[in-house]
Amino acid sequence: MDEVRFTYTLLIALTIPCAILLIGYASGRRTMPGANYFILMSFTAIIYNGAYIYEINSNHFPQAIFWFNVVHFVIPLQQYLWLMMSLEYAGVRKRYLKLAKYGTLYHPVLFWIIFYTNIHHLYASSYRFISNGYFPVIVFSKGPLYVVIVASGTMIAMIAMASYIAGYLKAPRTQRFGYLVMITASLIPWFTVYLNATNTSYLGIDYFPVVSIVSGLLFLFGIFQFGIFNTVPIAMETVFRQSKEGILLVDLTDRIIDANHTMLKIYPELEPISAKHTFASFVGRRPELGCVLNGQTGLHYQLTVNGEARSYAAEVTPILAEDGLRIGKILTVNDVTLFAEHQKNLERKAETSEISFLQAQIKPHFLNNALSVIASMVTRDPGEAKKLITDLGEYLTSCSYFDSSSAMELLERELDTVGAYVAIEKARFRERLNYQLVCGHIPNVNIPRLVLQPLVENAIRHGIFKKAGGGRVWLKINRAGRRVCFEVRDDGVGMPEERIWALTMGEDEEQGIGIANIHKRLLKYYGEGLTITSATGQGTSVTFSVPCDIVVDLERRLG
């Protein structure tokens, strides 16, 4: 075998195990957008490169043309899969992704029909099997339908590149390098395509099999190191974009990075997001938000949206990286119209209004912390990260649920909220937190909303996390005659007797009004509030009970 032929054959052969390694690496990360199409592209690269090895080592034209046909079966598939990988990676909306998935199938079908039928020799007028001085190659005269195929492939390439460029322009600065990697990886093999199309490839050799592996490595780097829509942006899509509260993301340069659907409904002038949108200029045009530039972290105001007067609560919170560095800020806007209206109602509905307001508020710092945890787990444990997204969605759905007709909720649903919250905190603090639900059978009763979750949260934050080695939290539920008894107990740092009174009266600045609010609501509903016992260094127990026989009546009266 000629030395040049041997060297090039060996080089192509080495790309096959390389492609297999790429498939193995990507297979463990199939949940990341673009990964599955990358795997399929790698499989087609193996077929392409293997067939091309046989083609350039064939000594007879019939044998060479057979492998030539195999190579050309794979070519349009690679272009189609590359397009789909690009669109999925760039986070194109689902309806457009679905349209492209089925609409661009025309390309491989058209390619196969034109190539394999070669109608009236309009694709290739003739084939020649000639030696380039080192080994034989197939050379063919290109007809007008060949130009059609190249034009179709070019259109596929332009759509893919447009998605990358659009993604680059919308992406946070920390993610833009990933798009540059993907653009570079896409351009490299296309140079070889046009070399073949213009018959300017040196010695008539197809360099695509070699450069495709180089592109594969770059794609691998771009998808799994800089994937814009890995677990965190999936969380953004399911939580950030679909959140019932308006959310605006701002970077350190005061540039507005993104706004979710709710925010765009309130402030449609933010769409589309562009470089001219700075936080200062936006707030400057909106007098109702002016206080946030003066350092005020939260405010309430009224605004006319779609001809209807609405009440909103706004708050600005910092975005912190895992190392504690500030990397931006979040403006959250909650529609609290129902709360404002209920404030004007009779005393009978005042409590329902209060708890509805509490439910309408999602804590930005908790959302930020949860997303940071998910971000840290993306590469370490994608499966766990995906589960946390589900937990976060469950928690936010429960906290955002706004029903002014009743202040009560089914106990089972409240326990789901508690479980989702604990799962997120458990992911953050690992072995420092141990939680156990002790309940033989969950009673089918309604209890006041947002009672159990804040009690568990207080036990974790103020009992367990202040203890050096962490500790345990128990939520015990049992039936005692015609009552359902609840206990939230921890073995944390505990507190002195005088602080218990301050908690129930709402005068404890560290824990805010949470405990006092729960105590007051329980007193109003049942005539009995919280019972708190604690000992410094030993832990705290908070108990209350619900009389089963008045639950249905309460639900009827409070409705």
Side-chain angles (χ1 to χ4, degrees):
M1 178 184 291
D2 184 274
E3 183 178 340
V4 174
R5 184 200 295 198
F6 175 78
T7 302
Y8 192 58
T9 299
L10 178 62
L11 187 60
I12 298 175
L14 290 175
T15 65
I16 294 177
C18 185
I20 293 173
L21 290 176
L22 295 182
I23 292 171
Y25 180 84
S27 295
R29 297 157 178 81
R30 292 189 302 274
T31 57
M32 298 181 69
N36 285 322
Y37 288 113
F38 174 82
I39 293 171
L40 292 174
M41 277 183 62
S42 298
F43 273 118
T44 60
I46 292 174
I47 298 172
Y48 187 116
N49 295 9
Y52 191 65
I53 289 174
Y54 282 104
E55 179 188 333
I56 64 175
N57 285 280
S58 298
N59 294 319
H60 304 286
F61 179 71
Q63 183 182 13
I65 200 67
F66 172 81
W67 295 112
F68 181 80
N69 289 335
V70 173
V71 166
H72 281 73
F73 180 82
V74 176
I75 289 175
L77 284 178
Q78 288 191 315
Q79 295 169 351
Y80 169 77
L81 293 171
W82 171 61
L83 171 66
M84 296 308 302
M85 180 188 72
S86 305
L87 296 178
E88 194 172 89
Y89 176 86
V92 172
R93 293 184 180 180
K94 289 183 177 179
R95 62 175 179 271
Y96 298 132
L97 191 65
K98 186 176 181 180
L99 180 64
K101 182 177 181 180
Y102 296 106
T104 57
L105 277 174
Y106 86 88
H107 178 69
V109 174
L110 178 66
F111 188 106
W112 292 329
I113 292 174
I114 290 177
F115 177 79
Y116 290 111
T117 61
N118 196 16
I119 304 172
H120 300 296
H121 302 286
L122 293 176
Y123 178 83
S125 57
S126 63
Y127 289 93
R128 289 180 296 156
F129 191 52
I130 63 175
S131 174
N132 59 16
Y134 301 98
F135 49 85
V137 293
I138 293 178
V139 178
F140 65 96
S141 300
K142 301 171 176 64
L145 288 184
Y146 179 86
V147 178
V148 172
I149 289 298
V150 172
S152 177
T154 301
M155 186 181 71
I156 292 287
M158 291 176 65
I159 295 173
M161 296 302 293
S163 70
Y164 283 143
I165 293 172
Y168 174 86
L169 295 176
K170 293 189 299 182
R173 295 182 182 181
T174 55
Q175 300 288 354
R176 288 186 171 180
F177 184 71
Y179 277 111
L180 293 178
V181 170
M182 299 296 281
I183 290 172
T184 303
S186 299
L187 290 176
I188 292 174
W190 274 99
F191 283 127
T192 68
V193 172
Y194 290 115
L195 284 176
N196 291 335
T198 56
N199 294 321
T200 54
S201 177
Y202 179 63
L203 298 179
I205 297 174
D206 186 357
Y207 298 107
F208 184 84
V210 176
V211 299
S212 64
I213 294 301
V214 176
S215 292
L217 292 171
L218 289 175
F219 282 138
L220 196 74
F221 185 63
I223 292 174
F224 300 113
Q225 295 299 320
F226 294 95
I228 302 303
F229 284 83
N230 55 24
T231 306
V232 172
I234 290 174
M236 289 177 63
E237 187 65 27
T238 57
V239 177
F240 166 77
R241 302 236 176 256
Q242 300 176 17
S243 175
K244 294 183 180 180
E245 70 174 359
I247 304 176
L248 190 72
L249 303 180
V250 182
D251 68 9
L252 283 178
T253 66
D254 203 47
R255 188 169 71 89
I256 295 176
I257 298 299
D258 207 350
N260 71 345
H261 299 321
T262 303
M263 183 66 80
L264 293 177
K265 288 180 180 179
I266 302 172
Y267 297 108
E269 67 266 27
L270 288 171
E271 190 173 13
I273 299 294
S274 67
K276 70 178 182 180
H277 285 120
T278 64
F279 188 64
S281 65
F282 166 63
V283 174
R285 296 191 301 271
R286 286 293 181 174
E288 71 275 7
L289 296 173
C291 293
V292 299
L293 291 180
N294 301 324
Q296 183 173 335
T297 57
L299 69 153
H300 294 78
Y301 60 90
Q302 286 190 328
L303 190 66
T304 300
V305 177
N306 296 327
E308 182 182 1
R310 310 291 297 179
S311 298
Y312 295 96
E315 185 173 5
V316 176
T317 56
I319 304 174
L320 302 179
E322 289 185 57
D323 54 8
L325 292 177
R326 181 169 177 167
I327 59 176
K329 57 189 173 186
I330 299 176
L331 170 66
T332 54
V333 177
N334 284 297
D335 186 335
V336 293
T337 302
L338 291 181
F339 165 69
E341 292 175 351
H342 279 283
Q343 288 290 81
K344 302 174 184 179
N345 286 344
L346 299 174
E347 180 64 24
R348 181 176 62 87
K349 292 187 177 181
E351 191 62 20
T352 302
S353 172
E354 180 181 1
I355 187 59
S356 296
F357 173 71
L358 292 174
Q359 285 179 293
Q361 298 187 63
I362 302 172
K363 299 177 182 177
H365 70 272
F366 177 78
L367 175 60
N368 186 47
N369 288 340
L371 290 177
S372 295
V373 171
I374 295 171
S376 68
M377 299 183 68
V378 168
T379 55
R380 186 176 68 250
D381 191 349
E384 181 65 17
K386 186 175 181 180
K387 180 180 180 298
L388 284 178
I389 292 172
T390 303
D391 291 329
L392 181 58
E394 173 70 24
Y395 174 81
L396 293 177
T397 299
S398 300
C399 290
S400 301
Y401 181 67
F402 200 100
D403 183 2
S404 60
S405 65
S406 174
M408 310 296 285
E409 180 62 277
L410 190 66
L411 172 59
E412 184 175 4
R413 185 174 177 84
E414 287 290 297
L415 291 178
D416 289 340
T417 303
V418 172
Y421 169 80
V422 171
I424 295 169
E425 295 288 53
K426 178 70 175 175
R428 292 180 62 198
F429 299 99
R430 298 295 177 181
E431 67 277 356
R432 290 190 59 203
L433 170 62
N434 288 283
Y435 166 80
Q436 184 178 2
L437 171 63
V438 181
C439 180
H441 174 71
I442 299 177
N444 186 28
V445 298
N446 290 328
I447 64 171
R449 292 191 186 126
L450 291 180
V451 169
L452 290 179
Q453 188 273 329
L455 291 179
V456 173
E457 180 177 353
N458 272 283
I460 293 174
R461 291 178 55 196
H462 302 286
I464 298 305
F465 292 161
K466 292 185 178 181
K467 186 177 178 181
R472 300 182 65 86
V473 174
W474 294 268
L475 170 55
K476 297 183 178 181
I477 305 173
N478 66 284
R479 191 77 175 262
R482 300 181 67 86
R483 303 182 72 85
V484 178
C485 302
F486 301 83
E487 180 186 19
V488 177
R489 180 167 62 89
D490 66 75
D491 61 357
V493 296
M495 55 184 156
E497 183 70 25
E498 59 269 22
R499 191 176 170 197
I500 296 177
W501 181 87
L503 276 175
T504 54
M505 293 297 103
E507 298 181 6
D508 186 276
E509 295 182 357
E510 184 176 352
Q511 294 197 35
I513 64 170
I515 296 294
N517 178 273
I518 294 171
H519 182 68
K520 181 178 68 174
R521 286 190 285 137
L522 289 174
L523 282 173
K524 173 169 284 190
Y525 295 159
Y526 309 117
E528 296 180 7
L530 298 174
T531 300
I532 304 176
T533 58
S534 184
T536 303
Q538 298 182 27
T540 302
S541 172
V542 181
T543 62
F544 69 94
S545 63
V546 175
C548 300
D549 54 345
I550 68 169
V551 169
V552 175
D553 182 58
L554 263 175
E555 178 76 311
R556 186 182 303 113
R557 289 193 296 108
L558 290 173

